[in-house]
């Protein structure tokens, strides 16, 4: 693995320098084609063929298949997105698309989300190809567009139009999981993502009687909407412990030697530091008001007012979430989904999970792997529809004091080169046998 470990930082720097900002609008997004062609060239250098399919001009998705020695076994998918969220250079210590290497870190937009995993995967399969390593089962690689805007032009498109490329894939690994939280010197929790919340972005519309702003007026759409979103925004929905989070909390309880109140686990979670903001959201359905739109003149009461709310529901909680919302909305306020995507969940067991656990422990004797539910969404939602069990497993042994959660979409996003080298060693162990 020496070759892979020595080139991963440079691969990541090169990939960060290809600006693949996804604004959510194809007219202003760029770079995905260039990035996919760059990946294709890196694979081609070592004799791995790939295909690129575009959903729209420039929105490129690359797939390659590495044949395993045991072709009777089902395949495993490693997927990563090539797009990144925007970054404002004025806010950064280094230019976000410089890919600068400094103090043992690679800096730039995408360094943790998720060009790091893209580079680790590439470095590993290039090393395999150069040294003649073949995995046991087929490994399918997918480098896709548009994840940061919901994946319609990336993973969703590939699943809808090129499902044949994923033939035989029963399991998938990708981003947001496999990273460490340091409990103490000889104990680190590695969070493997086994579930993702569903996404229910909605528009609320309040109706009322339009009228003159100077009159006595008791049927005001703006007031009605404001009351509804105030209720939604200030209500903490009840805790629901799904299987992965139950297991996760047990592990936290064990690791820190604390009792966790199942009705109020948030206090115990605070021990995990900044990552608790992400984890805490996986203990309940959430709904956060995000945009408001009403009226056109100070002295005119409008007949309607609207707002958007970012709703996220746990696996199996769709119906309950709708009930919770309707209780909060009140009279005269209606809701409609703007964007809706399923929640996914698999179990933390089976031969592949055992191998993840073993691979982590072989590289870090203090590793304890635990499942968790991701509060956001990834392309796993798309690939799950083809029947794959999806895991967030991009292994990284992180420095104990690093505020990892804040680096996702954050300013000065960066990844330590050591962490990626560790990740390559774990992935090598895992993917060879998985
Ligand atoms: Zn991502």
């Amino acid at each position: 693995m020496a070759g892979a470990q020595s080139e991963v930082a440079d691969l990541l720097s090169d990939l960060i320098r290809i600006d693949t900002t996804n604004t959510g609008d194809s007219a202003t997004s760029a770079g995905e084609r260039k990035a996919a062609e760059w990946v294709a060239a890196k694979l081609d250098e070592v004799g791995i063929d790939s295909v690129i399919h575009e959903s729209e001009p420039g929105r490129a998705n690359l797939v390659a298949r590495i044949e395993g020695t045991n072709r009777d076994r089902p395949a495993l998918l490693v997927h990563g997105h090539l797009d990144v969220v925007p970054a404002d250079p004025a806010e950064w210590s280094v230019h976000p698309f410089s890919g600068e290497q400094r103090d043992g870190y690679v800096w730039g937009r995408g360094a943790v989300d998720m060009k790091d995993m893209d580079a680790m995967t590439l470095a590993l399969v290039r090393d395999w190809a150069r040294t003649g390593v073949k995995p046991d089962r087929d490994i399918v690689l997918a480098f896709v567009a548009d994840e940061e805007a919901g994946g319609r032009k990336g993973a969703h498109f590939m699943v809808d139009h090129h499902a044949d490329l994923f033939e035989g894939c029963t399991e998938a690994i990708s981003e947001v999981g496999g990273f460490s939280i340091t409990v103490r010197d000889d104990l680190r929790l590695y969070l493997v993502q086994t579930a993702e919340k569903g996404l229910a972005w909605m528009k609320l519309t309040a109706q009322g009687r339009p009228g003159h702003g100077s009159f006595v007026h008791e049927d005001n759409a703006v007031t009605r909407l404001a009351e509804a979103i105030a209720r939604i925004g200030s209500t903490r929905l009840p805790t629901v412990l799904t299987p992965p989070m139950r297991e996760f909390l047990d592990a936290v309880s064990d690791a820190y030697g604390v009792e966790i109140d199942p009705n109020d686990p948030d206090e115990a979670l605070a021990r995990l530091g900044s990552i608790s903001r992400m984890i805490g959201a996986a203990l309940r359905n959430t709904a956060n008001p995000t945009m408001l739109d009403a009226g056109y003149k100070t002295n005119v009461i409008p007949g309607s007012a609207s707002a958007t709310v970012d709703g996220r529901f746990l696996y199996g909680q769709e119906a309950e979430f709708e009930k919770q919302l309707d209780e909060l909305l009140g009279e005269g306020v209606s809701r409609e989904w703007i964007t809706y995507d399923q929640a996914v969940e698999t179990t933390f067991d089976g031969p592949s999970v055992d191998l993840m656990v073993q691979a982590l422990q072989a590289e870090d004797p203090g590793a304890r792997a635990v499942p968790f539910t991701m509060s956001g969404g990834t392309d796993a939602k798309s690939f799950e529809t083809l029947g794959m069990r999806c895991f967030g497993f991009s292994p990284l042994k992180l420095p104990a004091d690093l505020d990892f959660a804040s680096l996702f979409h954050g300013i000065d996003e960066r990844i330590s080169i050591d962490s990626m080298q560790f990740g390559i060693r774990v992935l090598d162990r895992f993917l060879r046998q998985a």
Side-chain angles (χ1 to χ4, degrees), residues 319-382:
E320 182 61 24
F321 183 53
E322 291 200 41
K323 215 173 100 199
Q324 290 167 339
L325 283 173
D326 289 341
E327 278 166 16
L328 293 168
L329 284 185
E331 290 282 300
V333 183
S334 61
R335 62 173 167 82
E336 59 181 314
W337 303 138
I338 313 167
T339 303
Y340 193 92
D341 211 340
Q342 64 163 347
V344 293
E345 187 172 296
T346 185
T347 49
F348 193 56
D349 59 8
S352 292
V353 168
D354 292 346
L355 270 173
M356 286 179 203
V357 172
Q358 285 164 23
L360 285 167
Q361 277 170 350
E363 293 300 329
D364 178 0
R368 172 157 182 201
V370 292
F372 85 109
T373 298
M374 159 83 165
S375 56
T378 74
D379 285 334
K381 293 189 191 313
S382 299

Side-chain angles (χ1 to χ4, degrees), residues 81 113 147-148 175:
H81 60 85
D113 186 9
E147 193 274 346
E148 296 292 0
E175 63 178 330

Side-chain angles (χ1 to χ4, degrees), residues 230-307:
R231 280 192 297 271
I232 289 173
S234 55
T235 298
R236 176 173 279 210
L237 296 170
T239 303
V240 178
L241 290 185
T242 53
M245 292 311 287
R246 211 172 271 279
E247 256 186 86
F248 177 79
L249 290 176
D250 281 349
V252 169
S253 167
D254 255 22
Y256 291 91
V258 291
E259 283 289 316
I260 296 182
D261 176 357
N263 297 312
D264 184 21
D266 298 80
E267 199 188 312
L269 272 188
R271 287 172 177 265
L272 301 175
S274 57
I275 204 87
S276 63
R277 280 180 288 134
M278 184 169 97
I279 307 283
L283 297 171
R284 53 182 57 84
N285 302 324
T286 57
N288 286 308
T290 48
M291 297 198 285
L292 286 170
D293 184 20
Y296 50 89
K297 196 167 186 305
T298 308
N299 60 353
V300 179
I301 297 168
S304 73
S306 65

Side-chain angles (χ1 to χ4, degrees), residues 205-209 218-229 231 305 329-333:
T205 305
Q207 303 293 343
R209 191 161 47 81
E218 271 138 21
D219 185 17
N220 186 323
V222 175
T223 310
R224 182 166 287 145
L225 179 79
E227 286 169 351
I229 61 167
R231 280 192 297 271
L329 284 185
E331 290 282 300
V333 183

